Amino acid sequence: MSTPVDLGGGLLMTKVSVGPMDNNAYLLQSGGEQLLIDAANDPETLLDLIGARGLRAVVTTHRHQDHWVALEEIVLATGAESLAHTDDAEGIPVVTRTLADGDTVRVGDHSLDVIHIVGHTPGSIVLAYPGHLFTGDSLFPGGVGNTRGVKENFASLIGDVEAKLFARFGDDTVFHPGHGRDSTLGAERPQLPEWRARGW
């Protein structure tokens, strides 16, 4: 479990890896409020991380099960809202409010913008905060998310990642993926033509 990092303006982030697939879960804190991105697994670990401060909401980045194994238990224990994109909500066990492209999710005095990225799943989302992107499984160091050889899904995913992330945000933007290490858009941008050419 990492030490909280200030993302700017007093928004604190703690990153923890949970479960057999080493999913990243991110706890954001601002003032007295907390927001969890992906209640992926190990509910005891996540509840220890949340602590006595309570939880305003859980945002699930997409419907794949490894990103919501602990969701029901976390929502039951904390009373938090459960948020996910409309197009993935049916595949997630508990969703109390759906999200769409352009919505915002608040924690304390801060807000994160919802960006809909289609391809890894129909309702994958990225959460954007100045200088930071929480990309779920849509973008990793070294490539976009798995589209299981479906060419149409890959074309959609790489197109959305290029247009909605790389074209919109600067090279110093740090992204925090659903598995593994962080990177920056600047570090990955030169590889975009290679990713498109290889088709995955």
Side-chain angles (χ1 to χ4, degrees):
M1 195 176 299
S2 62
T3 305
V5 174
D6 192 334
L7 301 185
L11 180 63
L12 301 180
M13 176 195 80
T14 306
K15 175 181 180 178
V16 60
S17 176
V18 293
M21 298 182 70
D22 289 324
N23 288 73
N24 292 329
Y26 299 93
L27 184 71
L28 303 182
Q29 301 168 262
S30 173
E33 290 190 341
Q34 298 192 118
L35 172 79
L36 183 67
I37 301 173
D38 284 345
N41 213 314
D42 297 351
E44 299 84 0
T45 298
L46 296 179
L47 288 170
D48 284 347
L49 180 63
I50 293 162
R53 293 180 296 272
L55 192 65
R56 174 179 178 146
V58 183
V59 178
T60 303
T61 57
H62 63 288
R63 68 188 185 193
H64 288 157
Q65 184 176 6
D66 59 306
H67 291 263
W68 53 253
V69 170
L71 178 62
E72 288 179 286
E73 192 164 337
I74 296 298
V75 168
L76 184 63
T78 64
E81 272 194 297
S82 176
L83 312 178
H85 191 275
T86 303
D87 293 344
D88 270 11
E90 285 188 5
I92 297 168
V94 53
V95 176
T96 56
R97 180 160 64 91
T98 57
L99 301 170
D101 191 69
D103 285 350
T104 58
V105 176
R106 295 197 61 83
V107 53
D109 295 330
H110 303 280
S111 62
L112 295 91
D113 295 327
V114 176
I115 303 171
H116 185 201
I117 302 285
V118 181
H120 183 67
T121 66
S124 290
I125 57 171
V126 169
L127 295 178
Y129 180 75
H132 297 271
L133 298 170
F134 296 91
T135 57
D137 284 1
S138 291
L139 176 64
F140 295 99
V144 296
N146 191 350
T147 52
R148 293 166 177 76
V150 181
K151 292 181 179 180
E152 295 82 2
N153 290 350
F154 173 76
S156 175
L157 180 54
I158 192 75
D160 274 3
V161 163
E162 286 183 330
K164 296 184 176 183
L165 303 183
F166 283 93
R168 178 177 168 188
F169 299 99
D171 282 352
D172 58 349
T173 302
V174 179
F175 67 88
H176 311 277
H179 306 264
R181 63 179 178 86
D182 300 343
S183 186
T184 65
L185 295 186
E188 308 301 322
R189 193 183 302 274
Q191 303 174 65
L192 282 169
E194 176 189 338
W195 300 351
R196 187 175 280 280
R198 76 191 184 192
W200 56 272

